[in-house]
Amino acid sequence: MNKQLSPSMMCADFFHLGNQLKEFENAGIEYLHIDIMDGVFVPNYTLGTDFVKKLKAATSIPLDIHLMIEHPEERLSWFTFGEGDYVSVHAETTKHLQRVLATIRARGARPMVAINPATPLSVLNYILDDIDAVLIMTVNPGYAGQKLVPATIAKIRELRQMLDTRGYSHVEIEVDGNVSLENARKMSDAGANIFVVGTASLFHPDVSSIEEGVSLLREAIR
């Protein structure tokens, strides 16, 4: 599978966002990761509906909308997304997961299921036909700058094996949380192919530019 980068927009430079979007486009960035937090499922608030709408209008890069919200089935209509975009919902947030995934696909986007570090892969057993990707949280969601949960590397490997064995080799694996250069390499080797990159790599203070950060990351995950 192609290895793809999805910069975390909550870590972007909001004072120079237009310029950064151009840098992302010039660097061939595949997705823009947008964290939506409701202060209930996770103890934080982040980006909102207007931001998604304006970002969708401002760039041709597909969106990667990560809904960390309770009862996403009640709120999908709030968000602007469509063909080429990924929309992920947490398996832990809804009693009617397949219905939510079907709604996302009906609107033209690609459904993805997200699972927290301690959530077992067994929650995926009966929805593999309904998704295009799985988002493995490699930290507990809510804040940037956290340390990797080490057990999630084995979890990525186990998921890749499970998908390939069951005939779902087309289902992508996204990883989110402390995707440093060192960890990105481990995640890639384990089977991940979409990498949410933030303060641990692309937006790290020691990285002098988007161009340099993207180059380092692509070398790490190739």
Side-chain angles (χ1 to χ4, degrees):
M1 283 188 175
N2 292 334
K3 304 295 175 72
Q4 303 159 84
L5 300 179
S6 187
S8 174
M9 298 308 294
M10 67 182 283
C11 304
D13 183 352
F14 284 92
F15 289 105
H16 304 93
L17 190 55
N19 291 334
Q20 274 200 339
L21 288 176
K22 290 184 174 62
E23 291 181 281
F24 292 153
E25 291 169 354
N26 291 337
I29 287 294
E30 286 83 7
Y31 294 100
L32 299 176
H33 189 83
I34 307 171
D35 288 306
I36 307 293
M37 304 184 192
D38 63 359
V40 179
F41 179 62
V42 290
N44 198 3
Y45 294 97
T46 50
L47 308 173
T49 55
D50 286 345
F51 181 82
V52 174
K53 184 182 297 183
K54 291 177 180 178
L55 193 62
K56 182 70 175 168
T59 181
S60 60
I61 301 174
L63 305 185
D64 173 19
I65 302 172
H66 180 191
L67 298 179
M68 287 172 274
I69 61 176
E70 292 286 349
H71 309 299
E73 63 276 6
E74 299 173 6
R75 298 170 174 85
L76 284 178
S77 62
W78 298 0
F79 295 94
T80 302
F81 59 81
E83 186 175 355
D85 299 329
Y86 261 124
V87 180
S88 58
V89 295
H90 272 261
E92 305 92 348
T93 62
T94 178
K95 295 179 180 178
H96 306 291
L97 185 54
Q98 284 165 319
R99 186 179 300 164
V100 179
L101 298 170
T103 301
I104 293 168
R105 194 179 296 283
R107 288 184 53 186
R110 306 177 69 188
M112 183 189 303
V113 167
I115 54 176
N116 285 339
T119 300
L121 294 178
S122 59
V123 301
L124 305 173
N125 281 344
Y126 301 105
I127 59 163
L128 293 176
D129 287 330
D130 305 298
I131 57 175
D132 289 346
V134 178
L135 170 53
I136 296 285
M137 292 301 303
T138 49
V139 301
N140 284 288
Y143 300 97
Q146 298 186 68
K147 292 184 178 179
L148 175 79
V149 177
T152 57
I153 299 297
K155 190 177 187 180
I156 296 164
R157 184 173 293 108
E158 183 181 346
L159 174 60
R160 185 72 270 164
Q161 292 172 347
M162 182 182 91
L163 292 171
D164 292 347
T165 299
R166 297 188 186 184
Y168 295 93
S169 57
H170 62 283
V171 173
E172 300 189 284
I173 299 177
E174 183 172 48
V175 286
D176 183 1
N178 195 215
V179 185
S180 64
L181 296 178
E182 178 184 358
N183 290 335
R185 188 173 293 110
K186 295 176 182 177
M187 295 166 178
S188 179
D189 290 344
N193 73 291
I194 304 176
F195 302 82
V196 178
V197 289
T199 56
S201 52
L202 186 61
F203 300 109
H204 193 280
D206 292 340
V207 176
S208 62
S209 67
I210 295 297
E211 182 181 12
E212 179 194 8
V214 169
S215 177
L216 291 171
L217 280 160
R218 293 207 189 279
E219 177 65 23
I221 64 177
R222 68 187 179 128

